[in-house]
Amino acid sequence: MSAPSNFGRPVVTRIAPSPTGSMHIGTARTALFNWLYARHTGGKFLLRIEDTDRERSTEGAVQVIFEGLKWLGLEADEPAVFQFARAERHREVVQALLERGEAYRDYMTAEELEAERERARAEGRVVRSPWRDASPDEAPGRPFAVRLKSPLDGETLIDDQVKGQVRFQNNQLDDLILLRSDGTPTYNLAVVVDDHDMGVTHVIRGDDHLNNAARQTGIYRAMGWETPVWAHLPLIHGPDGAKLSKRHGAQAVGEFADMGYLPEAMRNYLAKLGWGHGDDEIFSDAQAISWFDIKDVVGAPARLDWAKLNHLNNHYIREADPARLTQLVAEIHESRDWKLREADLSVLQRSIPLVRDGAKTVLELADATVFVLRQRPLELPEKAQALLTEETRGRLARLKDRLARTEAWEVAALEAEIRGFAESEGVGIGKFGQALRAVLSGGSPAPDLAGTLVSLGKHESLARLDDVLSPAS
Ligand code: GLU
């Protein structure tokens, strides 16, 4: 499956998030597309932490990215590269550019730069430094920035896999600062040096970086390095087509996890945000990997669609291993202060296949299992009390005797028992069904009668009936 890139070697993709404290789902989608493309081509998927903003880049913010990628199942193939730690290497490349005559020291003071900005604005051109063509002998003894000596005319072509051919007029690009006068490397420089050193063949990222691609191309050219293949992904918009914002709800990967979305549902859903394979809505990782091609990503912004996400999540909840769901559900119950015993876990696991069909999230699944965890004797809500007339009590007592004799405690067998009982009583199930449910569930949401009985198990079901029909006191 290995396809060579334009470098004639295997594909290397990367995700390069800045640790800001949360991981945006746009970043998650970018990670997924990079991962899919690397897997599709038999290449590698790498991670670089762009931690040069020292105020925001805390240890905690870095952990959020590691955890987000881990949860999504999109871990990198090699240990993460940290950008800040590579500042020395970035400076080395600046030195090389100076030596090649591709960069120059710019001694403009802050005031001079401000004045040049004013002039440039008035004349409708970009900032130009007088130091571009000055001889080194003229160098004053004061701090300097280093700028790239960009071409003054012609154009820079970005042949983007998603956007098509995008042209930038070189006279619209000023000489990019590579090193600030305090000696710190700039963002565009660091990205190019890191991507080059990491052997990145394909830069797949958000289209807010399209302009940077033109900037970065200048650095590749000046160093004589081959440019990567570019693919700039359209942003994710809210369901109303507006730029994604807080009012559209969750945006951080951690929030989706907390709301009870499964990572495989997220992957399937995020894959559909800007890419697709015909009309296929539901597909496995293996299918996505075999079908994915960066060229098939659409150029228009993708819209977040909660109904679709919920639909997919429900699908994957119905498919998931009950033991795994039991763990997730148990964590939710414990976070809500239920103290779970070992026995509760097996009851949960038994009930999950019976209650999960309607659950859109694991939180909903947890809600749907509350009835099995309730402690006897259950407190019945007034509405349920009202159902328990003398007649109904008598009927439930006879049903209880019948259930006590039932050996096969399974959905089909219990459905047949209940039907048979209703016939023998000469009434419809409606005559006692609601009361039975209430007695078994204490008014909490519960599945159909047989499903509820199976979830609780025989012993607990009969005990809950007993509590109401022949209370101990
Ligand atoms: N650090 C940039 C970001 O978080 C990504 C840079 C890149 O992918 O080149 O948006």
Side-chain angles (χ1 to χ4, degrees), residues 4-48:
S5 73
N6 63 333
F7 289 71
R9 49 188 175 79
V11 165
V12 178
T13 66
R14 83 331 186 242
I15 174 91
S18 311
T20 59
S22 71
M23 184 174 172
H24 195 267
I25 62 158
T27 306
R29 199 247 334 228
T30 302
L32 176 68
F33 284 16
N34 276 282
W35 181 84
L36 283 174
Y37 193 63
R39 290 287 173 277
H40 175 74
T41 54
K44 258 194 295 198
F45 167 62
L46 304 182
L47 167 65
R48 179 170 71 241

Side-chain angles (χ1 to χ4, degrees), residues 231-248:
H232 287 90
L233 310 173
L235 295 180
I236 300 174
H237 282 181
D240 55 0
K243 207 175 160 211
L244 204 56
S245 73
K246 280 225 161 26
R247 78 192 152 84
H248 293 118

Side-chain angles (χ1 to χ4, degrees), residues 14 16-18 48 50 187 191 195 203-205 208-209 216:
R14 83 331 186 242
S18 311
R48 179 170 71 241
E50 304 215 311
Y187 170 71
V191 168
D195 281 339
V203 168
I204 303 167
R205 62 186 174 192
D208 45 335
H209 287 284
Q216 294 169 3

Side-chain angles (χ1 to χ4, degrees), residues 24 45 112 128 206 275 348 374 387 392 398 400 435 456:
H24 195 267
F45 167 62
E112 284 167 351
R128 294 289 172 206
W275 173 80
L348 277 177
R374 297 189 54 175
L387 294 169
T392 302
R398 291 190 292 281
K400 197 202 89 183
L456 292 170

Side-chain angles (χ1 to χ4, degrees), residues 7 89 93 96-97 100 189 191-197 216-217 219-228:
F7 289 71
R89 166 68 180 146
V93 171
L97 287 166
R100 289 166 151 256
L189 172 77
V191 168
V192 170
V193 175
D194 292 349
D195 281 339
H196 171 265
D197 289 0
Q216 294 169 3
T217 296
I219 305 176
Y220 281 100
R221 188 168 42 205
M223 279 306 285
W225 292 339
E226 211 165 346
T227 45

